[in-house]
Amino acid sequence: MATREDGAMNEAAMASAEDGAIKEAARKQYWLPLESNPEVLNEFATKIGSQGAFAFHDVFGLDPELLAMVPRPCIAVTLLFPSDAMKPAKAEQLRKLSEEDYKPDDGIFFMRQYVGNACGTIAAVHALANNSFVLGSDSGLAQFVAQNTNLTPEDRGANLARAKFISQATEASAQEGQTATPGLGDEVNHHFITFVNIGGVVYELDGAKPYPINHGPVGEDLLAAVAEVIKREFIAHVPDGMFNVMALAHAESSRAQTGAESLPQRPSKLSKRRMATAVPGLGASECRSLRALQPSDLTSHCWAR
């Protein structure tokens, strides 16, 4: 004779199977990847709910004088890095954390990535969702955050895959980049993540990892703290790799603040295409000259998965 407990167990099993099917369906999706470009991310942010008081800015280098060119306050930082080259370091990091009693802050809005090539989208969503004061109260992203706050990172990731307003904003914004847009499902070789300040701590939000990563105190300035994390935890492992950094900061133009002549000029469309090292078909000879760039000369505007 079936009991009420048996019925509850069957319902739980069915819910688990349905949840697994949703995540599996999400894994079969591919979105157009967002270019690592402030104009692209700002357009995407506006489409999903940013009110415009804060904007994404290029970070031209990790030296103090270059960090000083970025408007303040800085409330989030995105990093684009060579994903395959970083796999050993990431695996070792997770191995060490698994041996500790590691628990990230409960107040972080973090989601897993299931959709292919959506890491740029998720990086931007992480940056905005964890600074929700930048969003319009009735915006699509504000509503998405409210509806998913009490869910697991896995369920949030599955729901992102079904959020039409986000996928449509991603597709529209991806077309506005300055390099040829890869096709759906094309393999790209860089990965986007975000760093935010949660309770005075620098947290790395990477949808490919199972949880947020605590990188220690923010101190007086999030951007300066994240610059040290990037040098120590990323560039040190791939010193000849190509990286791109952007800051979500006050929307005041960095050129208006410091003077256009003091900032590196943006590359032409042709040179940006050469910099888009993850675009399929780009020859190794075209990339080789970029691999000697130092941390103070970060590459610009690559694609990420």
Side-chain angles (χ1 to χ4, degrees):
M1 178 177 178
T3 66
R4 183 175 299 176
E5 184 175 306
D6 291 333
M9 291 176 63
N10 288 336
E11 287 181 9
M14 291 173 63
S16 177
E18 180 181 359
D19 185 57
I22 291 171
K23 293 183 175 68
E24 187 59 33
R27 289 188 180 97
K28 295 177 181 178
Q29 289 189 54
Y30 282 87
W31 292 356
L32 291 177
L34 292 179
E35 186 177 279
S36 179
N37 177 325
E39 287 81 5
V40 170
L41 260 63
N42 285 330
E43 178 174 339
F44 172 74
T46 298
K47 288 179 182 298
I48 63 174
S50 174
Q51 299 184 93
F54 285 76
F56 289 95
H57 301 263
D58 275 319
V59 177
F60 292 104
L62 302 181
D63 297 329
E65 60 271 23
L66 294 175
L67 296 178
M69 295 176 177
V70 178
R72 299 302 199 277
C74 170
I75 59 174
V77 180
T78 66
L79 171 67
L80 186 80
F81 62 88
S83 53
D84 289 343
M86 278 296 301
K87 282 182 179 178
K90 290 169 67 176
E92 177 63 12
Q93 178 190 62
L94 293 177
R95 185 193 67 78
K96 289 181 178 179
L97 289 175
S98 69
E99 296 174 353
E100 304 172 4
D101 186 23
Y102 175 71
K103 294 181 180 179
D105 191 297
D106 291 336
I108 305 171
F109 190 87
F110 173 72
M111 66 181 69
R112 297 297 306 276
Q113 178 183 344
Y114 297 117
V115 177
N117 292 348
C119 66
T121 298
I122 290 175
V125 169
H126 275 151
L128 298 167
N130 286 284
N131 294 285
S132 57
F133 63 88
V134 306
L135 301 172
S137 59
D138 59 347
S139 66
L141 185 56
Q143 294 178 33
F144 179 85
V145 171
Q147 293 164 1
N148 287 271
T149 293
N150 295 324
L151 301 183
T152 65
E154 291 75 20
D155 287 339
R156 292 171 187 162
N159 287 340
L160 178 89
R162 296 183 291 179
K164 293 295 185 184
F165 80 98
I166 294 180
S167 63
Q168 290 168 357
T170 297
E171 182 173 0
S173 301
Q175 306 287 353
E176 299 301 318
Q178 295 184 339
T179 55
T181 306
L184 287 172
D186 281 353
E187 184 73 10
V188 292
N189 302 317
H190 285 70
H191 185 60
F192 249 126
I193 62 174
T194 294
F195 298 90
V196 293
N197 176 358
I198 302 293
V201 174
V202 177
Y203 273 100
E204 171 194 334
L205 307 183
D206 179 350
K209 292 181 178 179
Y211 37 69
I213 305 297
N214 181 331
H215 285 291
V218 169
E220 296 182 358
D221 180 41
L222 176 64
L223 181 57
V226 171
E228 294 304 313
V229 173
I230 292 171
K231 288 187 283 188
R232 182 180 69 246
E233 302 291 342
F234 292 85
I235 294 176
H237 293 289
V238 192
D240 62 343
M242 286 170 286
F243 300 82
N244 173 268
V245 178
M246 288 182 288
L248 180 60
H250 194 276
E252 177 185 2
S253 168
S254 56
R255 289 184 180 274
Q257 182 186 37
T258 62
E261 70 281 355
S262 66
L263 289 173
Q265 297 300 307
R266 294 188 184 280
S268 67
K269 189 170 184 179
L270 175 61
S271 63
K272 278 192 176 180
R273 185 169 289 116
R274 287 177 176 271
M275 283 186 170
T277 58
V279 174
L282 187 63
S285 61
E286 293 178 282
C287 299
R288 193 171 297 119
S289 63
L290 298 177
R291 295 194 178 277
L293 290 174
Q294 299 302 309
S296 59
D297 294 310
L298 301 175
T299 60
S300 297
H301 309 166
C302 297
W303 300 101
R305 63 186 172 199

mmCIF file of all heavy atoms in Angstrom, residues 152-191:
data_model
loop_
_atom_site.group_PDB
_atom_site.id
_atom_site.type_symbol
_atom_site.label_atom_id
_atom_site.label_comp_id
_atom_site.label_asym_id
_atom_site.label_seq_id
_atom_site.Cartn_x
_atom_site.Cartn_y
_atom_site.Cartn_z
ATOM 1 N N THR A 152 18.789 27.647 -6.396
ATOM 2 C CA THR A 152 20.191 27.230 -6.411
ATOM 3 C C THR A 152 20.888 27.827 -7.638
ATOM 4 O O THR A 152 20.233 28.210 -8.616
ATOM 5 C CB THR A 152 20.308 25.712 -6.478
ATOM 6 O OG1 THR A 152 19.771 25.266 -7.755
ATOM 7 C CG2 THR A 152 19.546 25.043 -5.338
ATOM 8 N N PRO A 153 22.222 27.892 -7.623
ATOM 9 C CA PRO A 153 22.944 28.351 -8.810
ATOM 10 C C PRO A 153 22.615 27.516 -10.044
ATOM 11 O O PRO A 153 22.583 28.041 -11.160
ATOM 12 C CB PRO A 153 24.413 28.194 -8.405
ATOM 13 C CG PRO A 153 24.408 28.352 -6.923
ATOM 14 C CD PRO A 153 23.137 27.679 -6.467
ATOM 15 N N GLU A 154 22.378 26.221 -9.828
ATOM 16 C CA GLU A 154 22.046 25.344 -10.956
ATOM 17 C C GLU A 154 20.686 25.707 -11.558
ATOM 18 O O GLU A 154 20.527 25.777 -12.786
ATOM 19 C CB GLU A 154 22.048 23.884 -10.492
ATOM 20 C CG GLU A 154 23.413 23.341 -10.133
ATOM 21 C CD GLU A 154 23.934 23.854 -8.791
ATOM 22 O OE1 GLU A 154 23.117 24.318 -7.966
ATOM 23 O OE2 GLU A 154 25.160 23.800 -8.575
ATOM 24 N N ASP A 155 19.700 25.944 -10.696
ATOM 25 C CA ASP A 155 18.376 26.306 -11.191
ATOM 26 C C ASP A 155 18.398 27.685 -11.844
ATOM 27 O O ASP A 155 17.699 27.922 -12.842
ATOM 28 C CB ASP A 155 17.363 26.282 -10.050
ATOM 29 C CG ASP A 155 17.024 24.866 -9.613
ATOM 30 O OD1 ASP A 155 17.239 23.941 -10.421
ATOM 31 O OD2 ASP A 155 16.562 24.684 -8.470
ATOM 32 N N ARG A 156 19.163 28.603 -11.289
ATOM 33 C CA ARG A 156 19.281 29.921 -11.926
ATOM 34 C C ARG A 156 19.868 29.787 -13.329
ATOM 35 O O ARG A 156 19.413 30.445 -14.267
ATOM 36 C CB ARG A 156 20.168 30.829 -11.076
ATOM 37 C CG ARG A 156 19.581 31.223 -9.736
ATOM 38 C CD ARG A 156 20.629 31.926 -8.886
ATOM 39 N NE ARG A 156 20.155 32.182 -7.534
ATOM 40 C CZ ARG A 156 20.948 32.449 -6.511
ATOM 41 N NH1 ARG A 156 22.267 32.513 -6.687
ATOM 42 N NH2 ARG A 156 20.452 32.670 -5.309
ATOM 43 N N GLY A 157 20.894 28.940 -13.464
ATOM 44 C CA GLY A 157 21.496 28.736 -14.778
ATOM 45 C C GLY A 157 20.535 28.136 -15.768
ATOM 46 O O GLY A 157 20.515 28.517 -16.949
ATOM 47 N N ALA A 158 19.717 27.181 -15.299
ATOM 48 C CA ALA A 158 18.715 26.579 -16.179
ATOM 49 C C ALA A 158 17.662 27.609 -16.581
ATOM 50 O O ALA A 158 17.219 27.651 -17.731
ATOM 51 C CB ALA A 158 18.056 25.389 -15.484
ATOM 52 N N ASN A 159 17.268 28.458 -15.641
ATOM 53 C CA ASN A 159 16.264 29.480 -15.952
ATOM 54 C C ASN A 159 16.831 30.550 -16.882
ATOM 55 O O ASN A 159 16.089 31.119 -17.695
ATOM 56 C CB ASN A 159 15.747 30.115 -14.665
ATOM 57 C CG ASN A 159 14.828 29.182 -13.896
ATOM 58 O OD1 ASN A 159 14.288 28.236 -14.456
ATOM 59 N ND2 ASN A 159 14.666 29.422 -12.604
ATOM 60 N N LEU A 160 18.114 30.840 -16.762
ATOM 61 C CA LEU A 160 18.725 31.789 -17.696
ATOM 62 C C LEU A 160 18.584 31.288 -19.130
ATOM 63 O O LEU A 160 18.307 32.060 -20.051
ATOM 64 C CB LEU A 160 20.198 31.981 -17.365
ATOM 65 C CG LEU A 160 20.938 32.916 -18.330
ATOM 66 C CD1 LEU A 160 20.835 34.356 -17.855
ATOM 67 C CD2 LEU A 160 22.391 32.525 -18.489
ATOM 68 N N ALA A 161 18.777 29.976 -19.304
ATOM 69 C CA ALA A 161 18.685 29.401 -20.646
ATOM 70 C C ALA A 161 17.304 29.575 -21.247
ATOM 71 O O ALA A 161 17.148 29.581 -22.472
ATOM 72 C CB ALA A 161 19.047 27.911 -20.592
ATOM 73 N N ARG A 162 16.290 29.732 -20.388
ATOM 74 C CA ARG A 162 14.910 29.880 -20.870
ATOM 75 C C ARG A 162 14.436 31.326 -20.861
ATOM 76 O O ARG A 162 13.291 31.594 -21.230
ATOM 77 C CB ARG A 162 13.979 29.022 -20.003
ATOM 78 C CG ARG A 162 14.268 27.535 -20.108
ATOM 79 C CD ARG A 162 13.287 26.718 -19.310
ATOM 80 N NE ARG A 162 13.458 26.889 -17.873
ATOM 81 C CZ ARG A 162 12.710 26.287 -16.952
ATOM 82 N NH1 ARG A 162 11.720 25.502 -17.330
ATOM 83 N NH2 ARG A 162 12.943 26.462 -15.675
ATOM 84 N N ALA A 163 15.315 32.250 -20.461
ATOM 85 C CA ALA A 163 14.932 33.663 -20.372
ATOM 86 C C ALA A 163 15.065 34.310 -21.745
ATOM 87 O O ALA A 163 16.157 34.700 -22.166
ATOM 88 C CB ALA A 163 15.805 34.373 -19.346
ATOM 89 N N LYS A 164 13.954 34.419 -22.459
ATOM 90 C CA LYS A 164 13.980 34.909 -23.830
ATOM 91 C C LYS A 164 14.518 36.327 -23.929
ATOM 92 O O LYS A 164 15.220 36.678 -24.874
ATOM 93 C CB LYS A 164 12.570 34.845 -24.434
ATOM 94 C CG LYS A 164 12.033 33.439 -24.638
ATOM 95 C CD LYS A 164 12.859 32.676 -25.666
ATOM 96 C CE LYS A 164 12.249 31.313 -25.967
ATOM 97 N NZ LYS A 164 13.101 30.528 -26.896
ATOM 98 N N PHE A 165 14.199 37.169 -22.948
ATOM 99 C CA PHE A 165 14.643 38.560 -23.051
ATOM 100 C C PHE A 165 16.167 38.652 -22.963
ATOM 101 O O PHE A 165 16.769 39.543 -23.565
ATOM 102 C CB PHE A 165 13.971 39.419 -21.964
ATOM 103 C CG PHE A 165 14.595 39.328 -20.594
ATOM 104 C CD1 PHE A 165 15.483 40.299 -20.167
ATOM 105 C CD2 PHE A 165 14.273 38.282 -19.737
ATOM 106 C CE1 PHE A 165 16.043 40.235 -18.896
ATOM 107 C CE2 PHE A 165 14.824 38.207 -18.476
ATOM 108 C CZ PHE A 165 15.715 39.184 -18.053
ATOM 109 N N ILE A 166 16.791 37.706 -22.258
ATOM 110 C CA ILE A 166 18.255 37.707 -22.164
ATOM 111 C C ILE A 166 18.871 37.134 -23.436
ATOM 112 O O ILE A 166 19.843 37.698 -23.967
ATOM 113 C CB ILE A 166 18.723 36.923 -20.926
ATOM 114 C CG1 ILE A 166 18.268 37.642 -19.652
ATOM 115 C CG2 ILE A 166 20.248 36.763 -20.928
ATOM 116 C CD1 ILE A 166 18.673 36.956 -18.362
ATOM 117 N N SER A 167 18.330 36.044 -23.945
ATOM 118 C CA SER A 167 18.891 35.469 -25.169
ATOM 119 C C SER A 167 18.710 36.418 -26.345
ATOM 120 O O SER A 167 19.604 36.563 -27.193
ATOM 121 C CB SER A 167 18.251 34.108 -25.470
ATOM 122 O OG SER A 167 16.862 34.227 -25.711
ATOM 123 N N GLN A 168 17.560 37.107 -26.409
ATOM 124 C CA GLN A 168 17.332 38.054 -27.499
ATOM 125 C C GLN A 168 18.250 39.261 -27.385
ATOM 126 O O GLN A 168 18.778 39.752 -28.396
ATOM 127 C CB GLN A 168 15.868 38.487 -27.494
ATOM 128 C CG GLN A 168 14.903 37.380 -27.919
ATOM 129 C CD GLN A 168 13.452 37.713 -27.646
ATOM 130 O OE1 GLN A 168 13.130 38.767 -27.078
ATOM 131 N NE2 GLN A 168 12.548 36.815 -28.044
ATOM 132 N N ALA A 169 18.475 39.751 -26.170
ATOM 133 C CA ALA A 169 19.400 40.872 -25.973
ATOM 134 C C ALA A 169 20.823 40.460 -26.322
ATOM 135 O O ALA A 169 21.586 41.241 -26.894
ATOM 136 C CB ALA A 169 19.329 41.362 -24.528
ATOM 137 N N THR A 170 21.181 39.223 -26.000
ATOM 138 C CA THR A 170 22.510 38.715 -26.337
ATOM 139 C C THR A 170 22.697 38.672 -27.848
ATOM 140 O O THR A 170 23.714 39.142 -28.378
ATOM 141 C CB THR A 170 22.712 37.303 -25.753
ATOM 142 O OG1 THR A 170 22.654 37.371 -24.320
ATOM 143 C CG2 THR A 170 24.047 36.722 -26.175
ATOM 144 N N GLU A 171 21.725 38.118 -28.546
ATOM 145 C CA GLU A 171 21.840 38.000 -30.001
ATOM 146 C C GLU A 171 21.940 39.369 -30.665
ATOM 147 O O GLU A 171 22.775 39.586 -31.556
ATOM 148 C CB GLU A 171 20.646 37.237 -30.558
ATOM 149 C CG GLU A 171 20.719 37.032 -32.067
ATOM 150 C CD GLU A 171 19.618 36.129 -32.598
ATOM 151 O OE1 GLU A 171 18.800 35.657 -31.793
ATOM 152 O OE2 GLU A 171 19.597 35.893 -33.816
ATOM 153 N N ALA A 172 21.111 40.313 -30.234
ATOM 154 C CA ALA A 172 21.132 41.647 -30.828
ATOM 155 C C ALA A 172 22.453 42.357 -30.552
ATOM 156 O O ALA A 172 23.042 42.983 -31.438
ATOM 157 C CB ALA A 172 19.964 42.466 -30.293
ATOM 158 N N SER A 173 22.957 42.232 -29.323
ATOM 159 C CA SER A 173 24.199 42.918 -28.957
ATOM 160 C C SER A 173 25.408 42.280 -29.615
ATOM 161 O O SER A 173 26.371 42.977 -29.971
ATOM 162 C CB SER A 173 24.350 42.918 -27.436
ATOM 163 O OG SER A 173 23.263 43.566 -26.810
ATOM 164 N N ALA A 174 25.370 40.959 -29.780
ATOM 165 C CA ALA A 174 26.506 40.262 -30.395
ATOM 166 C C ALA A 174 26.740 40.713 -31.829
ATOM 167 O O ALA A 174 27.867 40.665 -32.329
ATOM 168 C CB ALA A 174 26.271 38.756 -30.347
ATOM 169 N N GLN A 175 25.694 41.174 -32.485
ATOM 170 C CA GLN A 175 25.818 41.621 -33.878
ATOM 171 C C GLN A 175 26.510 42.975 -33.987
ATOM 172 O O GLN A 175 26.901 43.384 -35.085
ATOM 173 C CB GLN A 175 24.426 41.729 -34.515
ATOM 174 C CG GLN A 175 23.587 40.473 -34.426
ATOM 175 C CD GLN A 175 24.050 39.359 -35.355
ATOM 176 O OE1 GLN A 175 24.928 39.568 -36.173
ATOM 177 N NE2 GLN A 175 23.471 38.185 -35.220
ATOM 178 N N GLU A 176 26.660 43.680 -32.868
ATOM 179 C CA GLU A 176 27.181 45.038 -32.890
ATOM 180 C C GLU A 176 28.683 45.108 -32.652
ATOM 181 O O GLU A 176 29.254 46.187 -32.567
ATOM 182 C CB GLU A 176 26.467 45.881 -31.824
ATOM 183 C CG GLU A 176 24.975 46.001 -32.040
ATOM 184 C CD GLU A 176 24.637 46.624 -33.387
ATOM 185 O OE1 GLU A 176 25.310 47.593 -33.769
ATOM 186 O OE2 GLU A 176 23.714 46.120 -34.058
ATOM 187 N N GLY A 177 29.350 43.968 -32.503
ATOM 188 C CA GLY A 177 30.782 43.971 -32.263
ATOM 189 C C GLY A 177 31.569 44.465 -33.459
ATOM 190 O O GLY A 177 31.034 44.624 -34.567
ATOM 191 N N GLN A 178 32.861 44.692 -33.258
ATOM 192 C CA GLN A 178 33.704 45.240 -34.312
ATOM 193 C C GLN A 178 34.503 44.165 -35.031
ATOM 194 O O GLN A 178 35.374 44.470 -35.837
ATOM 195 C CB GLN A 178 34.636 46.297 -33.714
ATOM 196 C CG GLN A 178 33.858 47.490 -33.185
ATOM 197 C CD GLN A 178 34.759 48.582 -32.670
ATOM 198 O OE1 GLN A 178 35.914 48.345 -32.339
ATOM 199 N NE2 GLN A 178 34.250 49.798 -32.601
ATOM 200 N N THR A 179 34.220 42.918 -34.720
ATOM 201 C CA THR A 179 34.828 41.812 -35.451
ATOM 202 C C THR A 179 33.718 40.925 -35.986
ATOM 203 O O THR A 179 32.582 40.992 -35.531
ATOM 204 C CB THR A 179 35.770 40.987 -34.547
ATOM 205 O OG1 THR A 179 35.032 40.547 -33.400
ATOM 206 C CG2 THR A 179 36.960 41.815 -34.098
ATOM 207 N N ALA A 180 34.054 40.081 -36.951
ATOM 208 C CA ALA A 180 33.055 39.192 -37.536
ATOM 209 C C ALA A 180 32.484 38.277 -36.464
ATOM 210 O O ALA A 180 33.222 37.653 -35.703
ATOM 211 C CB ALA A 180 33.693 38.363 -38.650
ATOM 212 N N THR A 181 31.164 38.203 -36.385
ATOM 213 C CA THR A 181 30.513 37.405 -35.351
ATOM 214 C C THR A 181 30.637 35.919 -35.666
ATOM 215 O O THR A 181 30.264 35.479 -36.754
ATOM 216 C CB THR A 181 29.013 37.764 -35.270
ATOM 217 O OG1 THR A 181 28.886 39.170 -35.100
ATOM 218 C CG2 THR A 181 28.358 37.044 -34.112
ATOM 219 N N PRO A 182 31.157 35.097 -34.707
ATOM 220 C CA PRO A 182 31.180 33.655 -34.932
ATOM 221 C C PRO A 182 29.766 33.108 -35.062
ATOM 222 O O PRO A 182 28.800 33.725 -34.598
ATOM 223 C CB PRO A 182 31.858 33.114 -33.659
ATOM 224 C CG PRO A 182 32.575 34.285 -33.075
ATOM 225 C CD PRO A 182 31.761 35.484 -33.435
ATOM 226 N N GLY A 183 29.652 31.938 -35.662
ATOM 227 C CA GLY A 183 28.351 31.315 -35.792
ATOM 228 C C GLY A 183 27.941 30.614 -34.517
ATOM 229 O O GLY A 183 28.751 30.373 -33.616
ATOM 230 N N LEU A 184 26.660 30.283 -34.420
ATOM 231 C CA LEU A 184 26.177 29.532 -33.267
ATOM 232 C C LEU A 184 26.923 28.207 -33.173
ATOM 233 O O LEU A 184 27.016 27.462 -34.145
ATOM 234 C CB LEU A 184 24.674 29.269 -33.397
ATOM 235 C CG LEU A 184 23.744 30.469 -33.189
ATOM 236 C CD1 LEU A 184 22.313 30.088 -33.547
ATOM 237 C CD2 LEU A 184 23.824 30.958 -31.753
ATOM 238 N N GLY A 185 27.461 27.904 -32.010
ATOM 239 C CA GLY A 185 28.155 26.652 -31.798
ATOM 240 C C GLY A 185 29.611 26.658 -32.201
ATOM 241 O O GLY A 185 30.308 25.668 -31.968
ATOM 242 N N ASP A 186 30.096 27.743 -32.813
ATOM 243 C CA ASP A 186 31.517 27.808 -33.153
ATOM 244 C C ASP A 186 32.353 27.776 -31.874
ATOM 245 O O ASP A 186 31.998 28.384 -30.863
ATOM 246 C CB ASP A 186 31.837 29.090 -33.917
ATOM 247 C CG ASP A 186 31.436 29.002 -35.378
ATOM 248 O OD1 ASP A 186 31.032 27.901 -35.809
ATOM 249 O OD2 ASP A 186 31.529 30.026 -36.086
ATOM 250 N N GLU A 187 33.461 27.070 -31.939
ATOM 251 C CA GLU A 187 34.348 26.977 -30.788
ATOM 252 C C GLU A 187 35.125 28.280 -30.629
ATOM 253 O O GLU A 187 35.699 28.801 -31.583
ATOM 254 C CB GLU A 187 35.337 25.815 -30.980
ATOM 255 C CG GLU A 187 36.254 25.575 -29.798
ATOM 256 C CD GLU A 187 35.528 24.952 -28.612
ATOM 257 O OE1 GLU A 187 34.372 24.536 -28.763
ATOM 258 O OE2 GLU A 187 36.144 24.895 -27.532
ATOM 259 N N VAL A 188 35.106 28.821 -29.419
ATOM 260 C CA VAL A 188 35.913 29.996 -29.106
ATOM 261 C C VAL A 188 36.800 29.658 -27.919
ATOM 262 O O VAL A 188 36.482 28.785 -27.115
ATOM 263 C CB VAL A 188 35.041 31.237 -28.823
ATOM 264 C CG1 VAL A 188 34.345 31.694 -30.091
ATOM 265 C CG2 VAL A 188 34.021 30.964 -27.733
ATOM 266 N N ASN A 189 37.917 30.352 -27.812
ATOM 267 C CA ASN A 189 38.988 29.877 -26.937
ATOM 268 C C ASN A 189 39.233 30.718 -25.698
ATOM 269 O O ASN A 189 40.233 30.523 -25.021
ATOM 270 C CB ASN A 189 40.289 29.801 -27.752
ATOM 271 C CG ASN A 189 40.134 28.882 -28.947
ATOM 272 O OD1 ASN A 189 39.557 27.806 -28.835
ATOM 273 N ND2 ASN A 189 40.622 29.320 -30.099
ATOM 274 N N HIS A 190 38.368 31.662 -25.423
ATOM 275 C CA HIS A 190 38.505 32.475 -24.230
ATOM 276 C C HIS A 190 37.237 32.376 -23.386
ATOM 277 O O HIS A 190 36.178 31.992 -23.877
ATOM 278 C CB HIS A 190 38.779 33.939 -24.591
ATOM 279 C CG HIS A 190 40.172 34.189 -25.066
ATOM 280 N ND1 HIS A 190 40.631 33.723 -26.282
ATOM 281 C CD2 HIS A 190 41.215 34.853 -24.485
ATOM 282 C CE1 HIS A 190 41.900 34.084 -26.431
ATOM 283 N NE2 HIS A 190 42.276 34.774 -25.357
ATOM 284 N N HIS A 191 37.380 32.739 -22.114
ATOM 285 C CA HIS A 191 36.268 32.610 -21.171
ATOM 286 C C HIS A 191 36.137 33.899 -20.367
ATOM 287 O O HIS A 191 37.131 34.496 -19.970
ATOM 288 C CB HIS A 191 36.525 31.416 -20.241
ATOM 289 C CG HIS A 191 35.408 31.104 -19.310
ATOM 290 N ND1 HIS A 191 34.151 30.767 -19.742
ATOM 291 C CD2 HIS A 191 35.355 31.084 -17.943
ATOM 292 C CE1 HIS A 191 33.370 30.536 -18.685
ATOM 293 N NE2 HIS A 191 34.081 30.735 -17.595
#
